[in-house]
Amino acid sequence: MKAITIPTPGGPEALVLSDVDAPEPAAGEVRIKVAAAGVNRADVMQRMGHYNPPPGMTEIPGLEVSGVIDAVGDDVSGWVVGDQVCALLVGGGYAEQVTVPAGQVLPVPQGVDLVDAAALPEVTSTVWSNVFLTANLQPGETLLVHGGSSGIGTMAIQLAREVGARVAVTAGTQDKLDVCRELGADILINYREQDFVEELAKATDGHGADVILDNMGAKYLPRNVEALATAGRLVIIGLQGGVKGELDINTLLRKRGAVIATSLRARPVAEKATIVAAVREHVWPMVADGRVRPIVHSRHPLAQASAAHAEMEASTHIGKILLVP
Ligand SMILES: NC(=O)c1ccc[n+]([C@@H]2O[C@H](COP(=O)([O-])OP(=O)(O)OC[C@H]3O[C@@H](n4cnc5c(N)ncnc54)[C@H](OP(=O)(O)O)[C@@H]3O)[C@@H](O)[C@H]2O)c1
C-alpha cells in the first residue's frame, strides 16, 4: 500500500509517499481502508523528530482516520467488514490501510460525510477526556480555550456550549475569533493584541476561568494560573510555548487550583477504549443530531501531505486539515 514515511526528520518535505506492506489485523483489531486521515499538531512534531511513537508502534504518522472496515481480526465483536467507521490511532493513519484495536473504533455518526468523519476521533476524545472527564466542567462554569480556532478548539467550544458552560477563547486574528463566536464562544480575546488574564477578568467580573484548556505549556503557565478562578482546573495538553515554566504555587494554593497535564497517545489501549466509549455515549448523539459538527478547513491528497503540514504550520486554517488517499 501507499503510506507516508519520514526517512529523515525535518521540514514538510520530510514526508515521503512510499510503498510499504499493508498491515494485518492482530487479535482484537480491525483493519480500515482509509477514506481520510486527520492532520494533528502532534504529527508535525513527529515529522520534526520531537514526538516519536511509543516503542513498538508504527512509525507511519497519523492519529485518526475514517474509512471502511476491510478485515476483522480474531476475538472482535461488534464490527464487520463493510462498516463505515472512524478511529483513534496510536499512529499509521497517513496510509491506504491501517489496523486499530476494536475499542478505538467509532461508527461514522449519522449525517456526517465519510471523509469528514476523520476530523472527529482525536478532537472529541481529547476534549471529552480532558475538559469533562478530568476537569469536570460544569454547566454555568467558564471554560477558557487557548487556540479557539484550532482543531481542538473548535470542538471544545461546541461541546462546552452544549453542556451550558460559558466559553472564552484566545486566537490570533479577528476572522478566527468571528468563527469562534459562531461556534458558541462569547468571550473573544486576540492574544496578539490583548492580555487574556485582564480580558477574562473584565468579562467575568473578576471570577476568571473555572477550567482552562491550554496548548501553550510553559509560556502561558504563570498567566494561566493567574487567570484561574477559585478551585479552577488548568489542563495542559500542548507544549507549543515550551516545556519548562515557573509555577507560582502560592497563587495556586490560595485558589485551591489544580494543574494537570495529559497526553492521549501514550495511554494504554484499555484507557483509550474507555474514552472512546464515553465519546460514543456522550458526544456522538450531539453530532448525530447536528448540534456539534466537524469543522473541516481543507482536504489534501495523501501524496501532498507536505502541503497539509505547511498549511498547519502557517496556521491559516480554522478547524481540521484532512488527507485523502
Ligand atoms: N495532549 C493531548 O493528548 C493532545 C491531543 C490533541 C491535541 N493536543 C494539542 O492541542 C493543541 C491543538 O492541536 P491541533 O491539532 O488542534 O492544532 P492546530 O489546529 O494547529 O492549532 C494550534 C493552535 O495554536 C494556536 N496558538 C499559537 N500561538 C498561540 C498563542 N500564543 N496563544 C494562543 N494560541 C496560540 C493557534 O492559533 P492562531 O492560529 O490563532 O495563531 C492554533 O489555533 C496542540 O498543541 C496539540 O499538540 C494535545
Side-chain angles (χ1 to χ4, degrees):
M1 68 170 183
K2 298 280 184 208
I4 296 293
T5 60
I6 308 171
T8 312
E13 69 289 345
L15 300 173
V16 177
L17 189 68
S18 309
D19 288 302
V20 303
D21 291 337
E24 290 300 327
E29 293 184 342
V30 302
R31 188 175 63 196
I32 298 171
K33 182 175 188 310
V34 175
V39 175
N40 287 279
R41 204 29 83 159
D43 309 340
V44 173
M45 301 307 294
Q46 180 174 340
R47 190 204 72 215
M48 291 171 161
H50 302 320
Y51 190 57
N52 291 330
M57 299 298 162
T58 175
E59 305 251 322
I60 296 169
L63 299 173
E64 59 188 341
V65 292
S66 61
V68 178
I69 292 182
D70 74 352
V72 176
D74 293 339
D75 307 326
V76 170
S77 58
W79 301 112
V80 295
V81 169
D83 283 347
Q84 296 205 340
V85 296
C86 53
L88 182 70
L89 310 173
V90 71
Y94 288 19
E96 290 177 323
Q97 289 171 302
V98 66
T99 53
V100 56
Q104 290 166 217
V105 179
L106 290 148
V108 171
Q110 195 186 324
V112 174
D113 174 79
L114 178 62
V115 167
D116 286 351
L120 289 170
E122 180 72 23
V123 294
T124 53
S125 300
T126 300
V127 172
W128 194 260
S129 60
N130 285 291
V131 175
F132 297 94
L133 298 178
T134 299
N136 197 20
L137 182 71
Q138 295 295 308
E141 287 193 325
T142 298
L143 169 70
L144 169 61
V145 182
H146 287 302
S149 65
S150 65
I152 292 286
T154 52
M155 183 53 62
I157 296 168
Q158 296 183 79
L159 292 179
R161 176 204 71 207
E162 279 307 309
V163 305
R166 190 174 186 206
V167 186
V169 293
T170 59
T173 66
Q174 191 55 47
D175 286 358
K176 291 179 177 179
L177 290 171
D178 288 344
V179 173
C180 293
R181 181 195 289 110
E182 284 161 27
L183 291 173
D186 56 8
I187 304 171
L188 308 167
I189 303 166
N190 184 325
Y191 72 77
R192 293 182 202 278
E193 295 168 1
Q194 295 170 300
D195 179 320
F196 70 82
V197 182
E198 271 174 32
E199 296 304 318
L200 189 71
K202 265 193 252 165
T204 60
D205 290 330
H207 177 80
D210 299 291
V211 176
I212 301 177
L213 185 62
D214 174 65
N215 60 337
M216 296 304 292
K219 184 174 178 186
Y220 277 4
L221 182 60
R223 282 192 284 159
N224 276 335
V225 170
E226 227 184 299
L228 276 184
T230 299
R233 293 84 76 197
L234 164 62
V235 192
I236 302 169
I237 61 164
L239 302 169
Q240 289 170 234
V243 297
K244 286 191 182 166
E246 195 166 289
L247 178 64
D248 179 345
I249 302 169
N250 188 31
T251 303
L252 192 65
L253 177 148
R254 283 189 288 103
K255 292 187 175 185
R256 305 189 299 282
V259 179
I260 304 154
T262 76
S263 160
L264 185 57
R265 188 187 200 182
R267 294 193 194 212
V269 169
E271 267 185 48
K272 285 185 188 160
T274 302
I275 291 168
V276 166
V279 164
R280 188 169 179 173
E281 182 183 348
H282 297 284
V283 179
W284 250 223
M286 302 185 217
V287 180
D289 68 15
R291 282 177 288 153
V292 169
R293 60 195 168 90
I295 306 299
V296 177
H297 180 80
S298 57
R299 297 177 177 188
H300 296 261
L302 181 64
Q304 288 164 29
S306 51
H309 274 218
E311 182 174 55
M312 177 163 271
E313 285 175 277
S315 218
T316 47
H317 63 293
I318 294 177
K320 296 286 295 187
I321 299 168
L322 302 181
L323 293 174
V324 181

